[in-house]
Structures are given as structure tokens and as C-alpha cells.
Amino acid sequence: MINLSTGFAGLELKNPIIIGSSGLTNTTKDIRKLEENGASAVVLKSLFEEEIIREMQATYSSMSSEGFIYPETLEFYEHADTQEESTIRYLDLIAGTKKEVTIPVIASINCLTASQWTYFPRHVEEAGADAIELNIFILPSDLERTAQENEKVYHEIIREVLKNVKIPVIVKLSFYFSNLASFLQEISKTGIKGMVLFNRFYNPDFDLNTLDITSGAVLSSPSDLFLSLRWIAIMAERVACDLAASTGVHDGNALIKQLLAGARAVEIASALYKHGDAHIGKMLHEVEAWMKAKGYTTIDEFRGKLSQASSSHPAAYERVQFMKYFRGYQKENS
Ligand SMILES: Cc1cc2nc3c(=O)[nH]c(=O)nc-3n(C[C@H](O)[C@H](O)[C@H](O)COP(=O)(O)O)c2cc1C
């Protein structure tokens, strides 16, 4: 009997397929369908730091214009029943969804500073979220800021959020760091329970007819798997928290590879946009069939078997392989 259960960031999961933050997880109805189709957890679509701050400021200014702005503290704001629109809707989505599904519901906040909004995760916890994922992204394009200054912000955000909640905190990151391995290791020791490698970003593209700046492909393709596969494998036994893989996991084989690299779960989105919710079952079926063929009954029996630390061939992740690979490569039709 094959057992697909796993754990990620303190959450017990019936299988390793978490639905990544996206429009797929924006309503209770859709989340119920994802659960019916086999999803083991969902990360809700992100609320943006700016939305939280904007609504907080709108509330302040309306209180002020009505002439009762005293102790202007967040404490007051937190207990006032005056939040609006998207923050309220978000908390309702969490509470409503928790009533309808049994799988873990992970809230998500997209943020880039540690200021003003960091009280909000407490409300997310009170609404019933099982964990919170911080999608932190600071594009390191500002020549006036050093790498250390940028990296310090990640630490500040995590510290502030950890002060406010008891539920597990997960951080979803990019790969834009000057020393990725040491940064990931440092972040893993901050008290967070999980890291997601990596987020997929909006990429600008150019329209050669109109010379406009357009958006690159929104959805990933299967070949986008390899960046996160390499880094999950490199970091798997070097971090102090659980790892989940994201980007380019489109089928059961890609999921198996991430587990072999050392991931405890994957967060997927594009494959479901392309193939629909039933694709979850298909992927799980592929994993089960592979495990059966290999004689495995639990994921722990093979998880991390091909991580860099466990692999009998650790150089495969490094430069030597790169040299061998490109030296021998021939032109097609030659
Ligand atoms: C349409 C769409 C919307 C997304 N919205 C969010 C979001 O709000 N917050 C977030 O952290 N990630 C968001 N993502 C990123 C996904 O959660 C996921 O990390 C990324 O797409 C890589 O996984 P995939 O290759 O399986 O799509 C979005 C992805 C897509 C395709």
C-alpha cells in the first residue's frame, strides 16, 4: 500500500502537492474543487503589502477627518472594526474556506518592506489560517543599495512577522542573491518553518512590431524545473527548515525529481492552469506507479536520495559537469 503523506513546515499533508498562490486559490468554491481533486493544501492568492497599508491609511484619514484620531497606534486600528475591502475580503476568504475544507489553508502576503503592515498576519492567524507564506521580492536593481542592505530587509520582515504569529511562517524567495547558498541557509535559521524555492516572476518582453514592452509568458513550462531542482538538491541538507519546490513542476516525474532532490512538497500553479484540476490526480497516480515499480511504500524512503549531500556524484551539481557537458556537445545533423 503506497503512502504519499508528507509534512511541510509543521503541516501534515496527505500528499506533496500544494496548490501555489495564484488565481486558482482565490475562492472557497475553487479551493473545495482542488481538495476534491486531491490537493493536499492551498496557498491563497497573495494580498499585497500595499493593499494592507493603503486600507490602513484610508481608515486613519477617515478617523482623523471625523476628529477622533487619538492614540494613533496600530493597537487601536487593530481593534477597530474599520478595515475595508481587500483585507476584510481576505480574512473572510480564510475563515469561510476553513469551514468548507479539511486541507491546510496557507495565507500569502507579497511584501517588500517591514513597515506598517506586519501587524496583519495576526489577523490572518485569528481568521484560522494554518500557516502564512511571505512572498518577499526586492529586485536588486538599485545601484545605490548594497546586497547587505537588501538582504537585511528580508531579515527584518521575517523578524516582525514572527513576533506577531504562532502559526508556521513560510518564505517564498527568488534566486537573486549574491551568495544564494549562504543567504538561504541564514534565512532558514531565522525561526521560519519552510522555504519555497523559487517564485516565478513577471518578466518583461518586447513587441518587435510596436516596440512596446509587454509581459513574458505568465505560465511556466516543464523546462523551467531545473533551476529549483538544482537548488533544492544543493540546499536540502544544509538548511534548518523544510523546503518546498516551485516552478516548472508539470507532471508526476517532475514531482518525483523534486522529492529525490530533497523537497518535502511542491507548490504548483501553471500545470493546473494548462490542464485543469484533474491533473492533480494524474500526477499523484504517476508518483504512485513509480514508487510501486521501485518498491517504495513511503516518500521518506527516497526523499533526498539525490540531494547533493547524499548523492554519490555531488560534482554533478557543479562546474565540472558543466565543462564535460558542453565540451562533448555536437551540432544537430553534423
Ligand atoms: C496566474 C498566476 C498568478 C500567481 N499569483 C501569485 C501570487 O499572488 N502570489 C505568489 O506568491 N505567487 C503567485 N504566482 C506564482 C505561483 O504560486 C508559482 O510559484 C509559480 O507560478 C511557479 O509554479 P508553476 O511553475 O507551477 O506555475 C502566480 C502564478 C500564476 C501563474
Side-chain angles (χ1 to χ4, degrees):
M1 181 70 180
I2 305 277
N3 177 356
L4 291 178
S5 65
T6 182
F8 172 62
L11 305 172
E12 284 176 24
L13 305 178
K14 63 185 177 189
N15 67 59
I17 301 186
I18 300 173
I19 311 310
S21 177
S22 61
L24 299 166
T25 56
N26 214 11
T27 69
T28 300
K29 189 168 156 239
D30 288 344
I31 294 169
R32 218 176 33 221
K33 278 200 212 121
L34 290 166
E35 179 180 46
E36 281 162 17
N37 278 282
S40 68
V42 291
V43 185
L44 301 180
K45 182 153 180 60
S46 298
L47 192 63
F48 282 75
E49 163 187 330
E50 290 87 338
E51 295 176 87
I52 302 169
I53 294 174
R54 195 186 56 230
E55 288 174 21
M56 185 183 75
Q57 286 169 345
T59 305
Y60 272 139
S61 72
S62 89
M63 285 193 292
S64 160
S65 65
E66 286 161 31
F68 57 88
I69 186 142
Y70 33 71
E72 300 96 328
T73 59
L74 286 177
E75 280 306 297
F76 177 83
Y77 175 74
E78 282 173 48
H79 296 295
D81 184 22
T82 46
Q83 290 164 321
E84 290 164 18
E85 292 295 316
S86 42
T87 49
I88 285 284
R89 270 205 315 268
Y90 204 70
L91 299 174
D92 285 348
L93 174 65
I94 296 169
T97 305
K98 281 299 294 175
K99 284 194 199 126
E100 302 261 337
V101 300
T102 58
I103 54 175
V105 174
I106 304 168
S108 166
I109 296 181
N110 181 310
C111 51
L112 76 172
T113 73
S115 69
Q116 297 186 62
W117 67 271
T118 50
Y119 72 92
F120 190 71
R122 202 181 313 158
H123 293 291
V124 158
E125 179 173 79
E126 285 161 5
D130 295 283
I132 181 161
E133 185 173 288
L134 304 174
N135 174 352
I136 313 177
F137 180 44
I138 303 164
L139 187 71
S141 61
D142 183 348
L143 291 171
E144 305 295 311
R145 283 166 70 101
T146 63
Q148 286 76 11
E149 282 170 327
N150 269 344
E151 289 171 11
K152 195 165 148 244
V153 180
Y154 288 76
H155 285 276
E156 286 167 359
I157 292 173
I158 292 168
R159 196 168 47 241
E160 286 304 311
V161 172
L162 283 172
K163 265 195 231 160
N164 278 301
V165 294
K166 294 191 186 64
I167 51 175
V169 175
I170 299 163
V171 177
K172 186 179 191 185
L173 292 164
S174 79
F175 39 84
Y176 291 109
F177 297 98
S178 51
N179 187 342
L180 186 55
S182 79
F183 178 73
L184 294 176
Q185 189 177 59
E186 256 177 44
I187 290 290
S188 78
K189 293 177 179 166
T190 53
I192 62 168
K193 292 283 187 284
M195 276 197 297
V196 184
L197 309 183
F198 294 107
N199 203 353
R200 177 176 168 79
F201 301 99
Y202 156 81
N203 285 308
D205 194 0
F206 297 155
D207 183 319
L208 296 184
N209 285 325
T210 61
L211 300 191
D212 282 330
I213 301 172
T214 60
S215 159
V218 175
L219 302 183
S220 68
S221 57
S223 62
D224 291 325
L225 175 75
F226 301 103
L227 184 68
S228 76
L229 186 67
R230 171 193 291 240
W231 284 99
I232 293 281
I234 289 175
M235 298 312 297
E237 284 165 54
R238 298 190 176 133
V239 286
C241 68
D242 291 345
L243 292 178
S246 189
T247 301
V249 179
H250 281 239
D251 57 21
N253 285 351
L255 168 50
I256 295 165
K257 288 177 190 178
Q258 291 289 13
L259 297 171
L260 283 165
R264 300 195 66 88
V266 295
E267 291 189 0
I268 65 166
S270 295
L272 300 194
Y273 274 104
K274 285 185 186 174
H275 307 296
D277 293 357
H279 195 64
I280 303 168
K282 188 162 177 263
M283 286 174 67
L284 292 173
H285 185 70
E286 285 163 2
V287 177
E288 275 178 350
W290 178 85
M291 286 173 66
K292 206 164 160 203
K294 291 280 172 199
Y296 296 125
T297 53
T298 67
I299 287 175
D300 280 339
E301 291 165 35
F302 66 94
R303 189 202 319 278
K305 222 174 159 52
L306 294 181
S307 70
Q308 188 177 35
S310 307
S311 163
S312 54
H313 192 28
Y317 295 100
E318 309 278 353
R319 180 173 165 78
V320 59
Q321 193 64 12
F322 175 78
M323 288 159 69
K324 268 203 292 201
Y325 180 72
F326 284 109
R327 235 178 236 167
Y329 200 73
Q330 301 289 329
K331 244 185 355 188
E332 278 173 32
N333 308 323
S334 61

